[in-house]
Amino acid sequence: MIDVLVIGGGNAALCAALMAREAGASVLLLEAAPREWRGGNSSHTRNLRCMHDAPQDVLVDAYPEEEFWQDLLKVTGGLTDEKLARIAIRASSNCRDWMRRHGVRFQPPLSGALHVARTNAFFMGGGKALVNAYYRSAERLGVQIRYEAPVDRLDIVKGEFRAAYVNGERIEARACVLAAGGFESNRAWLREAWGQNERGEWPADNFLIRGTKFNQGVLIKHMQEQGADMIGDPTQSHCVAIDARAPLYDGGICTRIDCVSLGVVVNQRGERFYDEGEDFWPKRYAIWGRLVAQQPGQIGYSIIDSKAIGRFMPPVFPGVQADSLPELARKLGLPEQTFMATLDAYNAACRVGTFDHTALDDCHTEGLHPAKTHWALPLDTGPYYGYALRPGITFTYLGLKVNAQSAVHFGGVPSANLYVAGEMMAGNVLGQGYTAGVGMSIGTAFGRIAGTEAARAALQVKKTERERAAA
Ligand SMILES: Cc1cc2nc3c(=O)[nH]c(=O)nc-3n(C[C@H](O)[C@H](O)[C@H](O)COP(=O)(O)OP(=O)(O)OC[C@H]3O[C@@H](n4cnc5c(N)ncnc54)[C@H](O)[C@@H]3O)c2cc1C
């Protein structure tokens, strides 16, 4: 019998598998995806948020524990478990040497992401290179890996793991780590969670999924049915506004549209609906998905003029271009009259001071609702550009409740041999909101803890088995 069974094939699973193997356990990893799609959402990532008290290789200045904690407290509005959050924060300060030993390389951020040079360490080659490095290391260490192995249920007796089932095959192990992601790829579940709005629409039907299609939440649902203690709200997730032309799954980071603050955003009626100049990138990025989700048809249009070109990271696909604003409205299929009334009112309300995109500058609107509080320049220089935006779900927060050992709980009692890591438990730390790079901090910290604990539990069981056999 295998010592530790790891279910999932992304960052959290790989961290768990490597740690369990290093602790001397035999390890089998079951990845639902075929080899070429392995790595889940982790393969789309770019960086990891890291606490540090002084400059460290690719990280400048300092980002102390207290500041990291305050950032987390702010974005979650207090919906976080401080003890678990601090475990993830502290672990982020010393995990990179271990990551390097398994082949992960880091690089300074590229221009366009310099505001996170202090807080986030970027993976050389992105998340794809990170998961490939971990798989190589796992293979070298003797971790057994099976692809196209989706687990659909577990055999759990009185809170203890006995076996997992893959297409009817029973796989027994002495301990198990669940790291099979959230339920963001399950459109039926998203539909149920988001429900129907006052216009009779099912908003989630128009969501795009930024990452893997394999995170269907099968084991989250199964564990819920098995009576595991749950945490988090199914409607909470990381959700950003992305290029509406993105594919349904796996569009990744190249579907990002980041010119919102440089122009205006209108809905399909041609009306503005929120302050486009409220805040800088990380906060702005994380709220626009939900804002677009609340609009009719769950679509928005980011409108800029030529002055904005060169001031933001260009999207992969060019926007719709027109020489005049009425022509742009027609090309985007927006009602021309309302669109022009919106744009004329906006242009007339702009009070231009000293434009500075790196600060909350003094260019704002007056007498306009909603106001644009910063970076408000009239849209008056053709050609004009429009990008359609859709809500893009990154990952969901509903998951399993854990303790500091990352153990799954039943009725408040921690399991002796079943652990969970990554998106399946991130909701313990992230009740709502998001701060860039914390998904990988949580997955790495609790993946490593879960792997260590699972190995400890399995080796203990093995020792008892041997003693019994010898007696
Ligand atoms: C486009 C994008 C960019 C992101 N960028 C960042 C970033 O830069 N920094 C950051 O911190 N976070 C980022 N995130 C979030 C980050 O990806 C997650 O927080 C993190 O990867 C979660 O790791 P995980 O191992 O829990 O899940 P995943 O990496 O998604 O792995 C889940 C794995 O489980 C497998 N699986 C699912 N169901 C089953 C089953 N039933 N049986 C067996 N296997 C199963 C899947 O195939 C997959 O391999 C990003 C996410 C996306 C989508």
Side-chain angles (χ1 to χ4, degrees):
M1 193 198 304
I2 209 84
D3 291 329
V4 175
L5 185 69
V6 176
I7 304 175
N11 176 59
L14 289 159
C15 286
L18 288 166
M19 288 299 280
R21 188 73 195 110
E22 282 181 336
S26 59
V27 180
L28 170 63
L29 180 142
L30 301 175
E31 159 65 302
R35 190 179 187 280
E36 57 275 22
W37 286 101
R38 71 185 181 184
N41 286 344
S42 304
S43 62
H44 286 292
T45 62
R46 293 185 305 157
N47 59 53
L48 167 87
R49 183 165 285 254
C50 292
M51 161 198 160
H52 54 109
D53 291 324
Q56 268 182 7
D57 51 278
V58 294
L59 296 164
V60 299
D61 298 338
Y63 186 49
E65 176 177 340
E66 208 45 40
E67 190 182 348
F68 194 152
W69 163 242
Q70 288 300 329
D71 285 346
L72 202 54
L73 198 59
K74 197 159 72 190
V75 294
T76 58
L79 281 179
T80 176
D81 179 319
E82 179 168 355
K83 188 173 159 198
L84 300 176
R86 285 190 188 271
I87 288 175
I89 292 171
R90 286 177 199 149
S92 76
S93 72
N94 56 21
C95 61
R96 281 183 304 124
D97 283 343
W98 178 86
M99 293 169 74
R100 280 196 193 89
R101 281 208 298 283
H102 291 289
V104 179
R105 298 286 173 265
F106 294 91
Q107 65 171 57
L110 302 173
S111 64
L114 288 175
H115 48 274
V116 284
R118 184 171 69 90
T119 51
N120 291 46
F122 281 67
F123 314 130
M124 175 104 59
K128 190 74 186 162
L130 172 137
V131 298
N132 284 344
Y134 281 159
Y135 273 105
R136 267 195 302 274
S137 193
E139 279 163 6
R140 208 170 37 241
L141 290 172
V143 172
Q144 300 171 53
I145 296 164
R146 275 176 62 179
Y147 298 103
E148 298 179 68
V151 173
D152 47 40
R153 69 193 166 93
L154 308 178
D155 183 2
I156 297 169
V157 179
K158 292 187 184 141
E160 275 192 32
F161 172 84
R162 295 284 161 83
Y165 289 86
V166 178
N167 301 323
E169 180 193 352
R170 182 179 164 90
I171 301 171
E172 294 184 354
R174 294 185 175 88
C176 175
V177 176
L178 304 173
F183 73 89
E184 56 276 349
S185 320
N186 186 330
R187 301 190 78 210
W189 196 349
L190 288 178
R191 186 177 218 257
E192 179 194 316
W194 277 75
Q196 217 170 356
N197 65 20
E198 63 289 353
R199 290 181 291 271
E201 301 166 324
W202 294 88
D205 288 354
N206 280 319
F207 292 179
L208 299 169
I209 290 96
R210 301 177 64 216
T212 180
K213 65 178 174 206
F214 292 97
N215 288 357
Q216 294 286 332
V218 173
L219 293 176
I220 296 179
K221 192 141 259 175
H222 177 68
M223 291 305 292
Q224 207 166 10
E225 288 160 5
Q226 294 294 306
D229 297 348
M230 306 299 291
I231 187 120
D233 169 352
T235 67
Q236 287 301 335
S237 62
H238 185 245
C239 175
V240 301
I242 59 169
D243 195 322
R245 298 164 292 185
L248 177 56
Y249 293 108
D250 277 311
I253 52 170
C254 65
T255 61
R256 185 171 145 183
I257 301 281
D258 204 26
C259 47
V260 162
S261 60
L262 292 164
V264 296
V265 178
V266 298
N267 59 21
Q268 63 177 203
R269 297 192 194 117
E271 294 161 349
R272 290 177 61 245
F273 51 90
Y274 199 79
D275 177 1
E276 301 88 349
E278 187 182 55
D279 218 325
F280 292 111
W281 172 72
K283 181 165 176 218
R284 178 172 81 231
Y285 191 51
I287 65 170
W288 278 86
R290 263 171 195 275
L291 290 171
V292 172
Q294 286 154 8
Q295 297 309 306
Q298 295 71 53
I299 193 157
Y301 298 85
S302 175
I303 311 292
I304 53 168
D305 73 356
S306 288
K307 297 197 295 300
I309 301 299
R311 286 179 170 155
F312 65 102
M313 209 188 299
V316 170
F317 298 107
V320 172
Q321 184 181 334
D323 290 328
S324 71
L325 286 168
E327 186 194 344
L328 187 64
R330 287 194 297 276
K331 282 189 165 172
L332 291 171
L334 296 171
E336 191 179 322
Q337 235 181 332
T338 319
F339 178 82
M340 284 314 299
T342 302
L343 269 288
D344 289 342
Y346 166 77
N347 281 347
C350 285
R351 300 289 174 268
V352 178
T354 310
F355 179 85
D356 182 356
H357 205 208
T358 64
L360 293 172
D361 74 4
D362 60 354
C363 299
H364 62 282
T365 58
E366 230 170 63
L368 188 71
H369 185 75
K372 183 171 177 187
T373 48
H374 305 286
W375 312 301
L377 298 180
L379 300 181
D380 56 7
T381 312
Y384 301 89
Y385 301 88
Y387 295 91
L389 306 170
R390 287 272 185 213
I393 298 278
T394 316
F395 68 98
T396 50
Y397 294 172
L398 176 74
L400 306 177
K401 202 165 173 19
V402 295
N403 58 6
Q405 284 72 44
S406 225
V408 172
H409 283 58
F410 296 88
V413 181
S415 169
N417 68 349
L418 183 57
Y419 304 87
V420 58
E423 289 178 6
M424 282 189 83
M425 51 64 70
N428 287 270
V429 177
L430 278 176
Q432 63 177 33
Y434 191 71
T435 179
V438 79
M440 291 297 274
S441 314
I442 297 169
T444 304
F446 285 97
R448 295 182 65 204
I449 291 171
T452 307
E453 293 295 325
R456 189 192 45 73
L459 296 176
Q460 183 59 45
V461 172
K462 207 159 148 176
K463 191 167 158 239
T464 315
E465 283 167 3
R466 281 200 190 119
E467 283 165 1
R468 273 206 205 115

